[in-house]
């Protein structure tokens, strides 16, 4: 069993036993959440059946922001050993705190996920996700070490160095955003290295942003590897929430650690398996900051059918998108309101602007077209350049990526008649 599974007993647990375990852990979670400022007085002492979860209140991203910096922490401060903060938000960041055991459980879930894809301790694992507050770096890092793989904490960017590391240390598995994987291939070509021919690569873990089945196939072909979908979110610790097995027909959600529900995003009504809706998770094994019925905004459907791999944990489909207007550009979460908030504080900026997102050479691009008043528009070139630079810097500080700012004459952008269309996303059109 150890050869096929990382934690065989848990991964193949009979559904009834799994549900009993969930109920036990749900009550532990409730008891602990009741110690936090946020959940105090909002939860029953315990529930008798799993279905009673539907009587508990939802937790939203806004709740997380409102309880900034530590309103949801359920343990004494001395028990916390790490925090992670979400990559992009309107206003306040969302913060998740972990105890030593939380980090341990998370590492186990990541190791379990990676093992499921076929990764072993003989692999050389290059982690090309950003290290730091973002969970993609440290999350799988600890998992890979737990698995016993030789782990290279390369972090994201610096493509030539990534390729050099791969060549020098004979990388066999890597973790990367799908958009970066496509871009990196272009750099491989420039460098005269053929990843398929020159490297022992065999597995890629792709996640952090939505992508199509076609993109997966393309990456598999270019690199000569097997690519697996990895889903997670910082509110549920990060990667290691759901992962594909070698059958690649949906991602197994680790239901011993997360209680999964799917709801109608508009009404909040629970849906049945197979229906597409918003994923809602309750943490079942987190001490530092338990979350009850967290609304992810991510849209997917659940597949209850048994998987040939023998794991009994239900699978979710590819994430279709988000129920809100959050954009993911180069793997970073951005809300259009963050951009608007910055622009509207700059006196020279007019009333209309447009956000255009596209893919150029496999990489996301962000163009922000901004109308400025006549007087500004007809100012000197150096004045205009100065303004452009100032706006670019302010935006970059807020959204963490570099936008191309285009200043246009007042009245040249499509006027809004009713609801304004502020975002044009052309990435799906190619
Ligand atoms: P963050 O909390 O910053 O790590 O962002 C988490 C969000 O990234 C999720 O809620 C999803 O919207 C998105 N995401 C993560 N993994 C995937 C994936 N495999 N497919 C599609 N979207 C994903
Ligand atoms: Zn499976």
């Amino acid at each position: 069993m150890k050869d096929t599974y990382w934690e065989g007993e848990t991964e193949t647990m009979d559904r009834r036993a799994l549900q009993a375990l969930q109920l036990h852990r749900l009550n532990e979670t409730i008891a602990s959440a009741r110690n936090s400022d946020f959940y105090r007085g909002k939860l029953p002492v315990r529930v008798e059946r799993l279905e009673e979860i539907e009587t508990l209140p939802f937790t939203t991203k806004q709740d997380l922001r409102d309880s900034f910096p530590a309103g949801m922490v359920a343990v004494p401060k001395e028990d916390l050993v790490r925090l992670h903060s979400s990559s992009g938000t309107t206003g306040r960041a969302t913060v998740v705190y972990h105890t030593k055991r939380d980090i341990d459980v998370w590492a186990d879930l990541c190791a379990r996920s990676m093992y499921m894809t076929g990764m072993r301790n003989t692999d050389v694992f290059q982690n090309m996700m950003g290290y730091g507050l973002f969970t993609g770096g440290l999350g799988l890092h600890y998992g890979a070490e737990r698995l016993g793989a030789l782990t290279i904490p390369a972090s994201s960017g610096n493509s030539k160095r990534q390729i050099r590391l791969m060549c020098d240390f004979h990388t066999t598995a890597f973790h990367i955003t799908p958009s970066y994987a496509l871009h990196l291939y272009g750099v491989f070509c420039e460098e005269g290295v053929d990843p398929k021919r020159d490297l022992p690569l065999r597995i890629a873990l792709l996640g952090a942003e939505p992508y199509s089945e076609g993109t997966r196939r393309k990456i598999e072909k270019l690199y000569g590897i097997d690519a697996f979908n990895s889903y997670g979110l910082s509110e549920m610790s990060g990667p290691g929430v759901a992962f594909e097995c070698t059958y690649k027909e949906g991602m197994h959600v680790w239901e011993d650690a997360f209680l999964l529900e799917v709801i109608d995003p508009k009404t909040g009504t629970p849906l049945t398996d197979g229906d597409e809706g918003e994923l809602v998770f309750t943490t079942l094994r987190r001490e530092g900051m338990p979350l009850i019925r967290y609304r992810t905004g991510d849209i997917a459907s659940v597949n209850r059918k048994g998987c040939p791999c023998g794991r009994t944990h239900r699978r979710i489909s590819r994430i279709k998108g988000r129920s809100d207007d959050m954009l993911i550009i180069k793997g970073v979460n951005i809300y259009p309101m963050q951009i608007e908030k910055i622009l509207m504080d700059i006196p020279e900026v007019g009333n209309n602007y447009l956000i255009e997102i596209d893919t150029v050479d496999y990489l996301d691009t962000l163009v922000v077209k901004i109308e400025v008043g006549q007087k500004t528009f007809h100012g000197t070139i150096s004045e205009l350049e100065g303004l452009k630079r100032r706006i670019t810097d302010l935006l970059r500080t807020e959204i963490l990526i570099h936008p191309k700012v285009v200043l246009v004459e007042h009245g040249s952008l499509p006027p809004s008649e009713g609801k304004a269309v502020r975002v044009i996303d052309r990435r799906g059109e190619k």
Side-chain angles (χ1 to χ4, degrees), residues 87 134 207-210 229-234 298 319 322 328 333:
S87 45
F134 177 55
E209 63 188 9
N229 199 0
S230 151
Y231 170 77
L233 59 159
S234 26
D298 293 325
I319 308 295
R322 300 188 55 95
I328 302 181
N333 298 354

Side-chain angles (χ1 to χ4, degrees), residues 5 116 243-252 306-313 315:
Y5 309 106
M116 179 164 67
F243 235 89
E244 278 178 334
C245 65
T246 49
Y247 289 90
K248 296 186 195 170
E249 279 176 18
M251 297 179 276
H252 289 283
C307 184
C309 76
R311 292 177 182 85
T312 48
H313 299 234
R315 285 168 289 167

Side-chain angles (χ1 to χ4, degrees), residues 124-193:
V124 177
F125 174 67
Q126 188 160 326
N127 193 359
M128 303 192 212
M129 290 281 190
Y131 277 65
L133 289 172
F134 177 55
T135 55
L138 287 171
L140 280 202
H141 179 99
Y142 278 72
E145 286 189 353
R146 172 104 5 135
L147 184 94
L150 172 58
T151 306
I152 310 176
S155 201
S156 58
N158 204 340
S159 303
K160 286 187 183 169
R161 194 185 64 168
Q162 298 284 9
I163 294 170
R164 211 168 51 240
L165 288 169
M166 285 177 146
C167 293
D168 286 348
F169 302 111
H170 309 289
T171 301
T172 57
F174 58 111
H175 181 209
I176 192 166
T177 60
S179 54
Y180 189 40
L182 289 172
H183 174 74
L184 188 68
Y185 185 77
V187 185
F188 263 109
C189 295
E190 281 165 28
E191 295 292 290
V193 183

